[in-house]
Amino acid sequence: MQKGEELDEYIRECSKLAERPYKFILKFFTKKKRRVLLTFFLWTCQRSPCWVIPLATANILDALSGANENITEVIAKNLLILTFFILQNIFSTYHATKTFNKIVRGIESDLRGALVRKMQQLSIMFYKEIQSGKLLSKVTRDVENIETFLDQAVRSVFFIITDVVIALAVTFSRSIIVFLFFWLSVPMAIGIIMLFQKKISKENNTFRKEMENTTSQVAEMINLIPVTRAHGLQEVESRKIVKQVEATSNSGFQLDLVNSFFGATHWVAFQFFQALTLGFTAFLAIRGTITVGDVVLFQGYFATILNQISSLISLYPGFCKGFESVKSVSEILTEPRIEENAAIVPLGKLRGEVIFDHVTYTYKNNEEATLNQFSLKVKEGESVAFVGESGAGKSTILNLLIGFDSPQEGRICIDGINMKNLDLNEYRSQIAVVPQNTILFAGTIYENVTYGLDNVSKERVMAVLKQVGLTDFVNSLPQGLDTTLAEQGNSLSGGQKQRLAIARAIIRNPRIIVFDEATSALDSASEKMVQEATESLMKTCTTFMVAHRLSTIRNADRIVVIQKGKPVEEGSFDELMEKKG
Ligand code: ADP
């Protein structure tokens, strides 16, 4: 199975596990059963000296106190065994880390891969409601937390289980009364965890939310910097972020306090308990129930058990953090708003006829429908401009046409096929969109224009750039087409950015073009060039546009006036002007 398909399969499985996020992670482990078993074996070897040392010590002490004749032989034998167990630790530790960390690092990259794939599948409507900073935090910080959590948790849990089982088994074989006494430590550990559990979980949750808010607010602040600077609002923005950072720091501090109090409480309780065990076993030794060697053996084992429980407890806050991150990641993996792509009817070569048939569309959380029984027939090759007040529903029409969401009632037919039955990818590969805000990325001009297309010759790109009047500009750059643009094309003027976006559309040879005209004012020279570029596009295919400039509207075959989600008037520019007198 290809990696992508494997991740998609994983995402599908995750979507059924919304209530039980921990199962996401178990799924990864069950996929790698062999490796996990090998790790368990190597960890057992790695840990074995800790179990053998107390045994050997007890044997030697008993031999010494019992004035055994073979005392030298006993000591030599025990030391030899000890040496073997201690030395093999280097080999087993190295290989255990190699085996286990490969699994954990694999999970880390698979989780990031699954998140990224899921993000590409989610409907555009989902993105309108979430801040990108939050998503960023999930892919980076949360996945890192999960990796740390797994690295520590699985190892610790394995060690504590084996330590406790071995210690209890040996103790049971030597003294049932001490074995029963050891069991008292279990309710004590559970009691301490229960006492703090709610508080630690709550503080962790608050801290995670504050962290997410900080990340998204900083991301938003960076995007807003030009606006902030232009309005002289640096102070206001800085204060807002500093306040948020302080809130995060406070909640982090509260978390530190709870964690520290928790750590100290269990440490003190365990030390008392260990002293109590020493007194108890010493008393048994005095009465002759157990040997001196046994006192040392039990003390050694008990210290190991307590240390393990102790480290498990001190890891508990980390577990909560990891678990919180598992929940955070699962919010995306189980998000149901996936873009529907039925792909039932093959589209073939798109002609470009579009029919809106009694389309009704209401945004989530809105009571009133934005589009209400909207109907419109557009012929192949026709150009239609939507005009109307802001909020009338013009962009919504374009969004539905691109397939960002589907209408709740009515249908949109492309070449006579209901869009609901189309393969959106096949459809979209034959249309082009020039959005209101040109989105350029940090790549070369060539890469930005040919985004998503393979093997486009430089001559073809230059020919298209000529159509949009950018030849002189590109030729004036030291590296021409290979000049790297700053992120978001910040080094370009508004008009240049728009013309690049139009070039990106033209080079696709689209059959339908969706053009959301930017409202920003351009200087008259730029406007003229944008205008010419738009016109050359309009000639080649069916064009839908939301137009603000009179010059654009004038060239459209048909102008449709939208009011409250309905077409109220339509006709050519001249016809409409005539009607208005
Ligand atoms: P226009 O492009 O004509 O200015 P839009 O299509 O953008 O209008 O918006 C039409 C109506 O839908 C407006 O009242 C707007 O508030 C609402 N709207 C737009 N996008 C959303 C959204 N993501 N969630 C909720 N309401 C929205």
Side-chain angles (χ1 to χ4, degrees):
M1 213 192 282
Q2 293 259 312
K3 190 79 196 170
E5 287 169 24
E6 212 178 280
L7 291 176
D8 285 344
E9 174 71 28
Y10 176 68
I11 294 169
R12 270 194 297 279
E13 285 172 11
C14 285
S15 60
K16 296 178 209 146
L17 297 173
E19 302 299 316
R20 287 159 293 177
Y22 61 93
K23 286 209 169 176
F24 293 111
I25 305 300
L26 276 185
K27 281 228 168 296
F28 278 118
F29 282 113
T30 45
K31 266 197 316 191
K32 296 182 177 154
K33 260 188 224 125
R34 273 203 191 161
R35 246 172 203 284
V36 173
L37 287 178
L38 178 62
T39 310
F40 285 173
F41 170 72
L42 289 166
W43 275 342
T44 310
C45 298
Q46 181 189 340
R47 199 72 188 157
S48 58
C50 300
W51 309 322
V52 177
I53 291 170
L55 264 177
T57 315
N59 286 345
I60 292 172
L61 276 180
D62 281 345
L64 284 173
S65 56
N68 196 322
E69 269 178 26
N70 299 329
I71 193 160
T72 345
E73 197 186 315
V74 171
I75 294 175
K77 215 163 99 188
N78 277 283
L79 284 182
L80 204 68
I81 294 173
L82 255 188
T83 312
F84 168 75
F85 274 95
I86 292 173
L87 280 182
Q88 62 78 38
N89 177 274
I90 299 176
F91 172 86
S92 52
T93 303
Y94 173 77
H95 283 280
T97 308
K98 201 169 149 189
T99 320
F100 183 61
N101 284 47
K102 195 154 173 89
I103 305 177
V104 174
R105 291 283 172 195
I107 292 180
E108 187 187 12
S109 70
D110 280 359
L111 259 186
R112 290 210 167 103
L115 278 172
V116 169
R117 279 191 87 83
K118 177 75 187 236
M119 283 182 200
Q120 288 292 355
Q121 295 164 2
L122 285 170
S123 118
I124 290 288
M125 293 303 149
F126 167 81
Y127 290 95
K128 299 214 177 210
E129 285 163 31
I130 193 159
Q131 289 157 303
S132 57
K134 282 195 178 165
L135 290 175
L136 206 61
S137 166
K138 287 177 199 289
V139 180
T140 53
R141 186 175 164 272
D142 282 321
V143 175
E144 195 177 316
N145 284 347
I146 294 173
E147 193 259 330
T148 315
F149 159 69
L150 289 180
D151 192 20
Q152 295 175 347
V154 182
R155 198 189 312 258
S156 307
V157 169
F158 180 82
F159 281 164
I160 183 168
I161 291 175
T162 44
D163 274 359
V164 170
V165 168
I166 299 272
L168 287 178
V170 176
T171 309
F172 184 75
S173 71
R174 298 222 172 190
S175 163
I176 291 181
I177 188 155
V178 181
F179 170 80
L180 293 174
F181 189 81
F182 273 10
W183 275 103
L184 288 180
S185 61
V186 175
M188 184 177 67
I190 294 175
I192 293 175
I193 292 180
M194 301 251 290
L195 200 67
F196 284 89
Q197 187 221 19
K198 259 202 177 145
K199 183 82 180 140
I200 292 182
S201 291
K202 187 173 151 259
E203 295 294 344
N204 259 299
N205 193 298
T206 318
F207 184 62
R208 170 186 58 116
K209 293 257 154 76
E210 291 290 0
M211 256 334 256
E212 279 191 358
N213 285 339
T214 306
T215 320
S216 58
Q217 286 195 21
V218 171
E220 198 174 87
M221 184 202 84
I222 295 170
N223 278 339
L224 268 181
I225 277 183
V227 184
T228 311
R229 200 59 62 83
H231 294 84
L233 293 173
Q234 296 93 308
E235 195 50 42
V236 180
E237 274 295 316
S238 313
R239 252 186 274 138
K240 196 171 92 189
I241 301 288
V242 169
K243 205 168 148 200
Q244 173 59 34
V245 171
E246 277 173 3
T248 313
S249 153
N250 280 341
S251 92
F253 181 61
Q254 290 306 321
L255 183 62
D256 293 342
L257 288 183
V258 178
N259 284 346
S260 150
F261 189 53
F262 176 56
T265 311
H266 86 251
W267 189 85
V268 168
F270 281 12
Q271 296 314 309
F272 267 127
F273 202 63
Q274 189 156 7
L276 200 66
T277 318
L278 183 59
F280 181 66
T281 47
F283 170 73
L284 291 179
I286 292 168
R287 288 190 43 185
T289 319
I290 59 175
T291 65
V292 176
D294 283 346
V295 174
V296 178
L297 174 77
F298 295 143
Q299 201 60 29
Y301 275 167
F302 200 54
T304 313
I305 294 179
L306 288 188
N307 280 340
Q308 281 305 325
I309 298 181
S310 193
S311 61
L312 192 73
I313 290 180
S314 53
L315 280 174
Y316 183 72
F319 286 8
C320 289
K321 193 166 142 192
F323 207 70
E324 217 16 79
S325 290
V326 172
K327 261 199 270 177
S328 165
V329 164
S330 76
E331 281 166 12
I332 298 298
L333 292 178
T334 57
E335 171 60 51
R337 273 174 290 172
I338 291 181
E339 188 170 88
E340 285 164 27
N341 198 356
I344 299 169
V345 184
L347 176 64
K349 187 152 170 44
L350 177 65
R351 284 185 288 110
E353 181 205 73
V354 179
I355 299 170
F356 289 86
D357 181 11
H358 296 88
V359 168
T360 297
Y361 181 80
T362 314
Y363 281 100
K364 198 181 143 202
N365 305 329
N366 281 12
E367 280 182 10
E368 252 184 72
T370 294
L371 297 183
N372 202 347
Q373 301 283 318
F374 176 83
S375 292
L376 187 75
K377 241 182 177 175
V378 180
K379 291 196 294 273
E380 181 184 339
E382 197 180 0
S383 57
V384 177
F386 295 114
V387 296
E389 284 173 6
S390 166
K394 305 179 295 288
S395 300
T396 307
I397 300 171
L398 300 192
N399 285 341
L400 293 182
L401 180 64
I402 301 165
F404 282 167
D405 209 352
S406 32
Q408 285 93 7
E409 281 175 42
R411 56 193 188 139
I412 302 171
C413 292
I414 310 289
D415 288 355
I417 307 168
N418 189 339
M419 238 178 113
K420 272 196 171 159
N421 299 329
L422 283 182
D423 177 349
L424 284 178
N425 290 331
E426 186 192 10
Y427 165 61
R428 286 178 186 151
S429 67
Q430 301 183 67
I431 72 169
V433 181
V434 182
Q436 196 167 52
N437 300 317
T438 306
I439 302 171
L440 298 173
F441 54 87
T444 63
I445 294 187
Y446 174 85
E447 287 165 348
N448 265 285
V449 173
T450 61
Y451 176 62
L453 300 176
D454 293 327
N455 306 322
V456 184
S457 71
K458 290 202 169 171
E459 290 71 36
R460 166 97 179 104
V461 176
M462 280 314 284
V464 171
L465 288 176
K466 190 172 172 205
Q467 264 179 285
V468 297
L470 279 177
T471 319
D472 289 346
F473 166 69
V474 172
N475 285 338
S476 72
L477 296 170
Q479 285 164 294
L481 278 183
D482 296 323
T483 308
T484 305
L485 297 178
E487 207 173 328
Q488 295 165 15
N490 282 340
S491 47
L492 301 178
S493 77
Q496 286 165 339
K497 278 199 234 177
Q498 274 185 30
R499 280 181 280 153
L500 269 189
I502 296 172
R504 189 188 268 168
I506 296 177
I507 208 156
R508 296 181 141 62
N509 281 330
R511 297 305 309 143
I512 295 178
I513 181 131
V514 178
F515 190 81
D516 200 348
E517 192 177 69
T519 40
S520 62
L522 297 173
D523 60 72
S524 54
S526 289
E527 170 157 358
K528 189 162 176 291
M529 287 196 218
V530 170
Q531 177 54 38
E532 282 167 8
T534 317
E535 267 172 44
S536 63
L537 247 178
M538 279 159 67
K539 279 182 209 141
T540 57
C541 54
T542 313
T543 310
F544 288 87
M545 55 188 140
V546 168
H548 303 285
R549 276 185 273 275
L550 208 61
S551 48
T552 317
I553 302 169
R554 196 189 284 272
N555 283 311
D557 297 329
R558 190 155 38 131
I559 298 163
V560 181
V561 185
I562 309 286
Q563 217 175 57
K564 292 192 179 154
K566 277 194 166 174
V568 287
E569 239 183 323
E570 59 176 89
S572 71
F573 183 79
D574 295 334
E575 284 165 5
L576 288 183
M577 281 298 150
E578 217 168 274
K579 265 195 213 164
K580 292 255 174 217

